Amino acid sequence: MKLVFALALMLLASSCTSSSSGEKPKLGGTSPHAIVYYSTDLPNERIGDGLSYLFLIDREGKLTKIKKRGLELNSIIPFGPSLLLNQKEQLLTIRKNGDIQTASYKKDCTVPAGYGQSSGKLSDGKAYYSIFNGRFSEDMKYYISKIRWGTESHHYCQDIKAYIETTGDDGNHIYFLSSDIADPAKKSFHKLSVQGERMTHDQSFLEKSNAEGRFMFTKLVGHGNDMIGIYADLVGNKVELNLMQIHKDNKVPFKKHPLLQYEGNNSHYYFFNKDSIYVNNEQIYFVDGYGDVYVYQLQQKKLEKKFHLKDYKRESRLQDEMVYFRNGHLYFYRFNEKVKSHQIETYNLQGDFKSTLLLPDLKKELGRDSVFLYDFKVVHP
């Protein structure tokens, strides 16, 4: 039975106050081609502080480094000509001219860590959102996550009583999947709508999984009246990779599309990259941890291995590699041991290798800090 929570709640925090930080990195007056974000994880953060590096990369591979406090599993939001960077207690707006504006949240909006690729834009790019994990309730009966959202000048937040497994949006609404705290096999589908300072939250039962374990392989992406995502089920000594097709209002049982099977004694098939999915007409593209790019024909229910990432062999750099799809192209960010340099590779969807952009100074800029790759995006192809 569908449970609908029309919350229309007032906020835990009102609008933030914006002020310039006084910092002005040299951006050259042009928008970056790509961005890369590294940060400490929670165990390595010192007194709740931590360390992060945001690299703005131009088309020649030159870097602009913005060093800030850490925020685990954070993601950057391209917002018009600017970039939004969440901090634990603040939101930074990085302008095209290099100005960094700071909006300070109230205490109730403080966040400890993100959910990984759980940020996006709504209302034709005029509003942003980010969802963060948080803590258990004092009685341990439910989990508390937090959503931040807003516009260029107004910023809000609200608690969400759910343990979130993956998120996504269709440009109008935010969707996410959650698991029940008492019974993790019980899955729910959620739809969030924000309008100004108000948020509504609809929750409905999705299914009760019979698998021994499940995790989401990708984020959710919109496709017509549905949201689509890929998940992995542990069944015996095998891992089954499936695509789920969920009606946006969850009016009918979700459709399950079997994709691949892997041996369950390791996680090498997992790319650690929730952005490794892309919808192009009726074709669903995704990348696995072995560097294989697949396309699934949704109507024909046919899976095809499209191509393999050039000279790629699964190594140990699980948190220094990411793929990103944009405008009919696949971009692969990684450290290439052969040339001892980070690089961005570009492919079209047919698998044709287009170019390599070397980033020879990036490893040096990171130094010996214990940081992990949490986001990579191509902002201006």
Side-chain angles (χ1 to χ4, degrees), residues 113-146:
Y115 271 111
Q117 303 305 314
S118 55
S119 298
K121 293 181 290 186
L122 305 169
S123 304
D124 294 324
K126 297 177 182 177
Y128 73 90
Y129 74 90
S130 292
I131 301 178
F132 304 88
N133 60 32
R135 58 184 173 83
F136 283 97
S137 61
E138 292 183 4
D139 58 10
M140 301 296 289
K141 290 184 177 180
Y142 58 89
Y143 195 81
I144 302 173
S145 301
K146 193 176 295 290

Side-chain angles (χ1 to χ4, degrees), residues 208-236:
K208 185 166 183 177
S209 172
N210 295 320
E212 300 168 34
R214 172 181 295 181
F215 67 87
M216 292 302 302
F217 196 80
T218 72
K219 65 180 183 181
L220 299 176
V221 294
H223 175 61
N225 293 321
D226 301 316
M227 296 300 292
I228 290 174
I230 297 175
Y231 65 97
D233 274 344
L234 179 61
V235 181

Side-chain angles (χ1 to χ4, degrees), residues 158-195:
Q158 177 65 53
D159 282 349
I160 304 171
K161 292 182 179 180
Y163 182 79
I164 297 172
E165 295 187 352
T166 194
T167 69
D169 70 78
D170 62 358
N172 297 307
H173 306 282
I174 306 162
Y175 303 87
F176 68 88
L177 301 181
S178 71
S179 58
D180 186 76
I181 296 300
D183 182 5
K186 183 180 178 182
K187 311 296 181 181
S188 294
F189 181 68
H190 303 252
K191 177 180 178 181
L192 299 178
S193 303
V194 296
Q195 184 69 38

Side-chain angles (χ1 to χ4, degrees), residues 31-74:
S31 299
H33 167 61
I35 60 96
V36 177
Y37 178 81
Y38 286 83
S39 183
T40 44
D41 59 1
L42 283 174
N44 283 298
E45 292 189 1
R46 301 181 298 276
I47 319 176
D49 191 345
L51 178 69
S52 73
Y53 294 101
L54 173 61
F55 293 97
L56 313 182
I57 304 165
D58 71 12
R59 286 178 172 80
E60 297 179 351
K62 295 180 180 179
L63 308 172
T64 298
K65 181 173 69 173
I66 298 175
K67 185 177 179 180
K68 291 293 179 180
R69 295 180 64 182
L71 186 57
E72 185 183 44
L73 290 170
N74 197 10

Side-chain angles (χ1 to χ4, degrees), residues 1 33 76 125 133 192 215 221 240 280 293 316 352 359 364:
M1 180 178 179
H33 167 61
I76 310 304
N133 60 32
L192 299 178
F215 67 87
V221 294
E240 296 180 353
N280 183 44
V293 182
S316 59
D352 299 321
L359 313 173
K364 180 179 66 177

